Amino acid sequence: MKKESSAPTMKDVAREAGVALGTVSKVVNGLPVGDSYKIRVEDAIQKLNYQVNSYAQGLKANKTYTVAVLVPNTTEPFFAALAYHINIVLMRQKYRMLLCCTDSDSALEQEYVTMAQQNKVDGIIGLTYNPNLVIEENTPFVAIDRSISAGIPCVASDNFGGGQLAAEKLADFGCKNVAFLRIGSSLSNEPNKRKAGFENGCLSRGLNYEMKILDDSEPYEKFEAFLEEHIQGGRLSFDGIFCVTDRLAFSVIQTLRRLNQRVPQDVQVIGYDGIRLFGNMDYVCSTIVQPLPEMAEMCVELLLRENMKVKPPLICLPVTYAYGGTTSESEK
Amino acid sequence: MKKESSAPTMKDVAREAGVALGTVSKVVNGLPVGDSYKIRVEDAIQKLNYQVNSYAQGLKANKTYTVAVLVPNTTEPFFAALAYHINIVLMRQKYRMLLCCTDSDSALEQEYVTMAQQNKVDGIIGLTYNPNLVIEENTPFVAIDRSISAGIPCVASDNFGGGQLAAEKLADFGCKNVAFLRIGSSLSNEPNKRKAGFENGCLSRGLNYEMKILDDSEPYEKFEAFLEEHIQGGRLSFDGIFCVTDRLAFSVIQTLRRLNQRVPQDVQVIGYDGIRLFGNMDYVCSTIVQPLPEMAEMCVELLLRENMKVKPPLICLPVTYAYGGTTSESEK
DNA sequence: GTAAAATCACGAAACGTTTCATGATAAAAA
DNA sequence: TTTTTATCATGAAACGTTTCGTGATTTTAC
């Protein structure tokens, strides 16, 4: 009895073409094979509509053709967009993405890393929060926005340059007194450099600036108080604010409007990330745009190219500024 | 020489425990095994930190433990949220999600379906647009929001009920003259029922209503003209608008404000989907919320439970109304 | 025309599981 | 105690690939 409805295998192709199993394998993998054989095999593949079983391949090669992507969640647009672009790059290379939403849970993050060490995935691309994540020497891991440890390459946008660019843009648009706003724990994350870059930009452009960094144990209330403190006679003492993310910028803009400050007439706001409404409409706010497609490409490249002699510890990719309605574009 | 750094296999466990291969397999799969054996095997598994290789399992069982999820993209928040919830349910059941972004491309959609038939995945959950998608009889497929063909179950929110609820809410909030707005091709999609439900609700509540359905060949411009046409002496002739999606509602609200109509004072707007800003902040607009966690659960259940005697052709899950700032909540 | 060298298809073995026929051991029956 | 039956661990075979030693065939050299 012939096989029922299950997919054709190499053996079926070999029988159909009248060649040996190994010959089919070579044709499938593009290894040199005599022309007459090659044609017969290709015809048989066409006829049977054969596709290789990558799980069997993986079993043999001790590979899974799967890469785990660790993000806190995929409901926040930035993480969703990141995962989206990584998925595209991986699929183009015949890899699968195992999407792991860690909910910023340190234990879960470690669990997924352990899983990778069990060879259930070929590598990990991770945007993680666990400060003591243990990653064994031989585990292929590429970090996003985090310097985890020596030997683990990190891909990030040019956070310092982005901060600087924000300051320059605010200066270009006529601001004199600006503020930097951030909420979040003070890990040694790459995005922290946005602050240093902004500071640098302010100094070189002669802007008065103030830095406000709030602990994330008491989020999204304190910054309102901070803004209120700086209102004298109905006027905010800042005419420009740089927020560490678009998400924060969005909240800040809402708060400013509640405090009767007009954006961008009274105060201009720049965020960071490049989030668009509904994924493809306008930018949520004027923003420093992260080059997500390029970052995704770079992560996968670093992870899968083993012939890379030495993995650079940090790769910064260039950012751009985009108008999103919360700045006055009259460059002087 | 012992094996180097590769993961321990069942054979290693068997050797460590001093039992046969098949015994380990039984323990791993929870089949009956003598107590003394069971303990020894479990200890060995602990000691070696063994995890089964599901790719080898899959090869043997001709299963992949992978489900393909077909969505147009994951940058739009609704699709992102859908994929997020499906991923969670699948991972809980030890399945992997293969995320396929079809870009609404009919050919790509068909390609992924073919792939599933090649046994590269165990089933498909698809939100597809190809009207003549060919799905073979024995391919496990669950559609979302689309009735594809007999034998293919469809999971959807209660679109009719949701439309009705929108009309009732607008009536509750004091509207008299309302409109339904939709842009999109007129496939026999489930979401089309939102219109019928809305109409039904309007009739039962005695609302004057108008339906406007625009072709998506000329999107997002015509509806502006439609709104302008209905402004006489600076006042819009509608005091309530139901939009088929939050995305459209958002555009409509922007346009209304541009036309100097105050939302919700002059005109109230209700959308559909339940999109939140940045995934977890406020709702984008007052909206009919789709029960995504329940829908995801139901999709996976329908797809993977083979002992289900007869698959229901359509499963509607209940929706709820949520306030999002674009309605006047003064229920009379 | 013969011998040596080069070419390349062949097919068995192995990857880590599951399954099942086999046979050893223990329990029940006589 | 001996025979029959029931129990259950054992380990070989198979899943669909890749790899590599073998040997048949062709090419080159003499």
Side-chain angles (χ1 to χ4, degrees):
Chain A
M1 178 161 36
K2 301 274 289 188
K3 24 186 65 193
E4 285 293 352
S5 65
S6 76
T9 73
M10 270 194 177
K11 207 183 282 182
D12 298 323
V13 175
R15 193 185 309 121
E16 176 70 29
V19 303
L21 205 51
T23 308
V24 179
S25 178
K26 281 180 193 155
V27 172
V28 169
N29 293 295
L31 300 175
V33 166
D35 285 341
S36 68
Y37 288 84
K38 188 169 182 178
I39 291 170
R40 274 193 287 160
V41 170
E42 282 170 345
D43 287 351
I45 287 176
Q46 279 285 322
K47 179 171 175 189
L48 299 181
N49 193 17
Y50 166 81
Q51 292 219 26
V52 345
N53 178 328
S54 67
Y55 292 87
Q57 281 187 316
L59 175 59
K60 192 70 186 61
N62 199 27
K63 292 189 59 173
T64 62
Y65 299 99
T66 301
V67 168
V69 172
L70 269 54
V71 289
N73 60 66
T74 54
T75 52
E76 278 189 53
F78 176 68
F79 300 132
L82 185 62
Y84 173 80
H85 284 103
I86 293 174
N87 189 41
I88 287 180
V89 176
L90 285 173
M91 290 202 80
R92 205 163 51 216
Q93 310 219 15
K94 306 282 180 210
Y95 271 73
R96 308 178 196 83
M97 174 177 80
L98 183 66
L99 187 56
C100 304
C101 298
T102 61
D103 206 15
S104 306
D105 178 331
S106 291
L108 253 182
E109 286 178 351
Q110 186 65 64
E111 203 171 294
Y112 284 124
V113 171
T114 306
M115 191 178 81
Q117 274 149 202
Q118 303 277 347
N119 289 355
K120 295 177 90 80
V121 300
D122 293 346
I124 309 180
I125 298 173
L127 201 164
T128 56
Y129 285 97
N130 184 343
N132 357 287
L133 202 59
V134 178
I135 301 173
E136 278 183 20
E137 192 63 39
N138 57 353
T139 307
F141 193 107
V142 172
I144 296 177
D145 271 354
R146 307 281 179 272
S147 288
I148 297 198
S149 61
I152 306 288
C154 168
V155 172
S157 63
D158 181 4
N159 287 291
F160 187 91
Q164 196 160 14
L165 182 56
E168 289 166 0
K169 285 291 171 185
L170 288 176
D172 285 347
F173 302 152
C175 294
K176 304 292 181 204
N177 300 291
V178 299
F180 171 83
L181 218 50
R182 179 159 81 74
I183 292 182
S185 49
S186 51
L187 293 173
S188 66
N189 292 342
E190 285 303 312
N192 288 3
K193 296 182 182 170
R194 293 171 199 172
K195 170 172 175 282
F198 186 68
E199 196 158 12
N200 199 53
C202 289
L203 288 171
S204 73
R205 291 305 204 87
L207 295 177
N208 295 319
Y209 64 88
E210 189 160 335
M211 300 292 175
K212 183 64 182 178
I213 297 177
L214 296 164
D215 199 297
D216 60 358
S217 60
E218 48 197 338
Y220 290 97
E221 288 149 19
K222 275 289 179 65
F223 84 76
E224 183 158 359
F226 171 77
L227 291 174
E228 276 179 326
E229 283 168 19
H230 285 262
I231 294 182
Q232 288 151 0
R235 274 187 65 82
L236 188 69
S237 59
F238 306 120
D239 51 11
I241 299 180
F242 173 47
C243 296
V244 73
T245 64
D246 287 345
R247 191 187 189 300
L248 177 59
F250 189 84
S251 294
V252 166
I253 290 163
Q254 285 186 323
T255 302
L256 287 170
R257 296 213 161 114
R258 206 178 316 127
L259 297 174
N260 294 315
Q261 305 299 312
R262 291 172 305 162
V263 178
Q265 297 89 338
D266 298 332
V267 52
Q268 303 185 46
V269 178
I270 294 183
Y272 198 108
D273 280 346
I275 305 297
R276 289 163 182 267
L277 283 162
F278 291 92
N280 55 9
M281 290 172 66
D282 296 332
Y283 286 101
V284 168
C285 57
S286 294
T287 184
I288 307 299
V289 184
Q290 297 209 42
L292 288 184
E294 290 77 13
M295 287 169 67
E297 194 81 52
M298 190 58 74
C299 286
V300 175
E301 195 65 21
L302 277 174
L303 194 69
L304 301 181
R305 293 297 148 261
E306 16 219 73
N307 54 3
M308 194 166 283
K309 16 224 129 241
V310 56
K311 306 225 174 185
L314 173 63
I315 294 193
C316 278
L317 295 167
V319 295
T320 53
Y321 164 82
Y323 172 70
T326 59
T327 42
S328 322
E329 298 296 69
S330 56
E331 300 202 25
K332 62 160 188 287
Chain B
M1 178 161 37
K2 301 273 292 186
K3 23 188 66 195
E4 284 294 351
S5 65
S6 78
T9 73
M10 271 193 175
K11 206 182 285 181
D12 298 323
V13 175
R15 192 184 310 120
E16 176 72 29
V19 303
L21 203 53
T23 307
V24 179
S25 178
K26 281 181 192 154
V27 171
V28 168
N29 293 293
L31 299 175
V33 166
D35 286 342
S36 68
Y37 288 83
K38 189 168 181 177
I39 291 169
R40 273 193 288 158
V41 170
E42 282 170 346
D43 287 351
I45 287 177
Q46 279 285 324
K47 179 171 176 190
L48 299 182
N49 192 17
Y50 167 79
Q51 292 220 24
V52 343
N53 178 329
S54 67
Y55 292 87
Q57 280 187 317
L59 175 60
K60 193 69 186 62
N62 199 28
K63 291 188 60 173
T64 61
Y65 299 98
T66 302
V67 168
V69 172
L70 269 53
V71 288
N73 60 68
T74 54
T75 53
E76 279 188 53
F78 176 68
F79 300 131
L82 186 62
Y84 173 80
H85 284 103
I86 293 174
N87 188 42
I88 287 178
V89 176
L90 286 173
M91 290 201 82
R92 204 162 53 216
Q93 311 220 13
K94 306 282 181 211
Y95 271 73
R96 308 178 196 85
M97 174 176 79
L98 182 66
L99 187 56
C100 304
C101 297
T102 61
D103 206 15
S104 306
D105 178 330
S106 291
L108 252 182
E109 285 178 352
Q110 186 65 64
E111 202 171 295
Y112 284 124
V113 171
T114 305
M115 193 178 82
Q117 274 148 200
Q118 303 276 346
N119 290 354
K120 295 177 90 83
V121 300
D122 293 345
I124 310 180
I125 298 173
L127 201 164
T128 56
Y129 285 96
N130 184 343
N132 357 286
L133 203 60
V134 178
I135 300 172
E136 278 182 21
E137 192 63 38
N138 58 353
T139 307
F141 193 106
V142 172
I144 296 177
D145 271 354
R146 306 282 180 271
S147 288
I148 296 199
S149 61
I152 306 288
C154 168
V155 172
S157 63
D158 180 3
N159 288 290
F160 188 91
Q164 198 160 12
L165 182 56
E168 289 166 359
K169 284 292 170 185
L170 288 176
D172 285 347
F173 302 153
C175 294
K176 303 293 180 205
N177 300 291
V178 298
F180 171 82
L181 218 50
R182 179 158 81 75
I183 292 182
S185 50
S186 52
L187 293 173
S188 67
N189 293 342
E190 285 302 314
N192 288 3
K193 296 182 182 170
R194 293 171 198 172
K195 171 172 173 282
F198 186 68
E199 196 158 11
N200 199 52
C202 290
L203 288 171
S204 74
R205 290 307 202 86
L207 295 176
N208 295 319
Y209 65 87
E210 188 160 336
M211 300 293 174
K212 183 64 181 177
I213 297 177
L214 296 164
D215 198 298
D216 61 358
S217 59
E218 47 198 339
Y220 290 96
E221 288 149 18
K222 275 290 180 64
F223 83 76
E224 182 158 2
F226 171 76
L227 291 173
E228 276 180 326
E229 281 168 21
H230 285 261
I231 294 182
Q232 289 151 359
R235 274 188 65 82
L236 187 68
S237 59
F238 306 119
D239 51 11
I241 299 179
F242 173 47
C243 296
V244 74
T245 63
D246 287 345
R247 190 188 191 297
L248 177 59
F250 189 84
S251 295
V252 166
I253 291 162
Q254 286 186 320
T255 303
L256 286 170
R257 296 211 162 115
R258 207 179 316 128
L259 297 173
N260 295 314
Q261 304 299 312
R262 291 171 306 161
V263 178
Q265 296 88 337
D266 299 332
V267 52
Q268 303 184 46
V269 178
I270 294 183
Y272 198 108
D273 280 346
I275 305 298
R276 289 163 184 266
L277 282 163
F278 291 93
N280 54 9
M281 291 172 65
D282 295 332
Y283 286 101
V284 168
C285 56
S286 294
T287 183
I288 307 298
V289 184
Q290 297 208 42
L292 287 184
E294 290 77 14
M295 287 169 67
E297 194 82 50
M298 190 57 73
C299 286
V300 174
E301 196 64 19
L302 278 173
L303 194 69
L304 300 181
R305 293 296 148 263
E306 17 218 72
N307 54 1
M308 193 166 284
K309 16 225 129 242
V310 56
K311 306 225 172 183
L314 174 62
I315 293 192
C316 278
L317 295 167
V319 295
T320 53
Y321 164 82
Y323 172 71
T326 59
T327 41
S328 322
E329 298 296 70
S330 57
E331 299 202 24
K332 62 158 187 290

